[in-house]
């Protein structure tokens, strides 16, 4: 009940002092706001303190160009398994861990509300992508890595490829998700559909 705008400002200043990015600070502020909304809906507090996000500059999506992606596909030392996996992520727009928590039902990949988006969704996969998904899941279940290292392994492998071809340091595995969105927009897929797919 005692939390007010000055308390929120103090919390924000603390995070700024810790060197957190504006984006990260805003994520924490959204969490705090959600917590207060939870208590307010249940009648445990009578008001929600004013919580404003820090202004951030609009950023363009960080995507992998077709030339960059082809350069990765042309790497002689890169195993075909990883090339296929990177292609799968570029073509589906999935977050790194989403295939591992999803279920395949025919041609539909059902993604539960356990990932960052917090909404269940289903995407239709072409047969070639189903084959790659199955290959990925065999690897996931048999690779011998501890649970939290499996996604990190794929992400690091992709970053190594990006560095090898001389791509910008700001590009990383999540850029494949941005790439999916950019490619769909270029294909004139309505933004609402792109949003639903992602």
């Amino acid at each position: 009940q005692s939390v007010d705008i000055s308390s929120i400002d103090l919390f924000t200043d603390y995070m700024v002092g810790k060197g957190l990015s504006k984006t990260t600070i805003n994520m924490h502020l959204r969490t705090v706001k959600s917590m207060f909304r939870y208590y307010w809906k249940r009648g445990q507090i009578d008001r929600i303190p004013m919580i404003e996000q820090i202004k951030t500059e609009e950023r363009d999506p960080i995507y992998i160009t077709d030339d960059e992606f082809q350069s990765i596909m042309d790497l002689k030392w890169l195993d075909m398994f990883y090339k296929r996996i990177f292609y799968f992520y570029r073509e589906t727009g999935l977050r790194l861990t989403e295939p591992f928590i999803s279920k395949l039902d025919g041609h539909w990949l059902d993604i539960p509300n356990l990932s960052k988006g917090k909404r269940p969704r289903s995407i239709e996969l072409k047969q070639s992508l189903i084959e790659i998904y199955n290959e990925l899941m065999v690897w996931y279940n048999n690779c011998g890595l501890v649970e939290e290292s499996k996604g990190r392994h794929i992400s690091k492998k992709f970053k190594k490829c990006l560095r090898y071809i001389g791509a910008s340091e700001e590009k990383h595995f999540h850029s494949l998700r941005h790439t999916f969105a950019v490619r769909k927009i270029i294909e004139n897929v309505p933004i609402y559909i792109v949003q639903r797919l992602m």
Side-chain angles (χ1 to χ4, degrees):
Q1 290 285 9
S2 65
V3 173
D4 58 16
I5 189 87
S6 62
S7 308
I8 300 300
D9 288 344
L10 189 64
F11 179 58
T12 303
D13 291 344
Y14 169 77
M15 291 188 288
V16 169
K18 295 284 280 183
L20 299 179
S21 71
K22 290 179 180 179
T23 303
T24 302
I25 292 170
N26 284 339
M27 286 169 47
H28 287 297
L29 290 173
R30 280 194 297 273
T31 301
V32 170
K33 191 172 187 175
S34 295
M35 178 192 71
F36 279 111
R37 200 167 34 246
Y38 174 88
Y39 290 127
W40 176 74
K41 283 182 178 177
R42 283 154 183 78
Q44 294 175 313
I45 57 175
D46 56 17
R47 63 174 181 76
I48 299 174
M50 175 66 73
I51 300 175
E52 294 180 341
Q53 302 280 292
I54 295 176
K55 294 249 185 284
T56 57
E57 57 284 344
E58 284 291 319
R59 292 176 51 185
D60 291 333
I62 301 169
Y63 64 95
I64 312 300
T65 67
D66 287 350
D67 286 345
E68 288 170 330
F69 194 78
Q70 190 56 53
S71 294
I72 291 172
M73 294 297 105
D74 291 340
L75 292 174
K76 299 277 190 267
W77 53 264
L78 182 63
D79 188 272
M80 185 56 74
F81 167 77
Y82 294 104
K83 293 178 183 181
R84 288 166 56 80
I85 296 309
F86 300 157
Y87 173 79
F88 174 84
Y89 279 98
R90 186 188 75 162
E91 295 302 300
T92 60
L94 291 173
R95 293 179 179 91
L96 180 58
T97 59
E98 285 180 335
F100 310 141
I101 59 173
S102 301
K103 295 278 185 255
L104 189 62
D105 183 9
H107 281 264
W108 292 89
L109 189 64
D110 297 326
I111 305 154
N113 64 346
L114 303 174
S115 72
K116 184 178 175 184
K118 300 297 183 211
R119 288 184 181 168
R121 69 188 197 281
S122 297
I123 58 171
E124 189 173 15
L125 300 180
K126 300 183 293 190
Q127 185 59 38
S128 60
L129 293 176
I130 291 173
E131 291 167 11
I132 299 172
Y133 171 78
N134 288 332
E135 188 178 350
L136 174 60
M137 293 313 295
V138 167
W139 173 86
Y140 181 80
N141 291 319
N142 298 293
C143 67
L145 295 171
V146 295
E147 194 72 26
E148 58 273 9
S149 295
K150 294 176 183 181
R152 200 162 42 233
H153 171 79
I154 294 171
S155 178
K156 284 183 176 178
K157 183 72 77 170
F158 189 70
K159 186 64 177 179
K160 179 180 177 182
C161 294
L162 287 170
R163 286 188 172 134
Y164 191 88
I165 66 166
S168 166
E169 268 302 308
E170 66 180 3
K171 297 187 179 187
H172 41 76
F173 186 85
H174 194 73
S175 301
L176 290 171
R177 184 166 161 82
H178 290 201
T179 305
F180 169 82
V182 168
R183 286 167 62 87
K184 290 296 178 194
I185 290 167
I186 289 170
E187 292 169 10
N188 290 320
V189 174
I191 192 72
Y192 173 77
I193 302 298
V194 176
Q195 182 185 28
R196 299 295 292 172
L197 290 171
M198 296 185 74

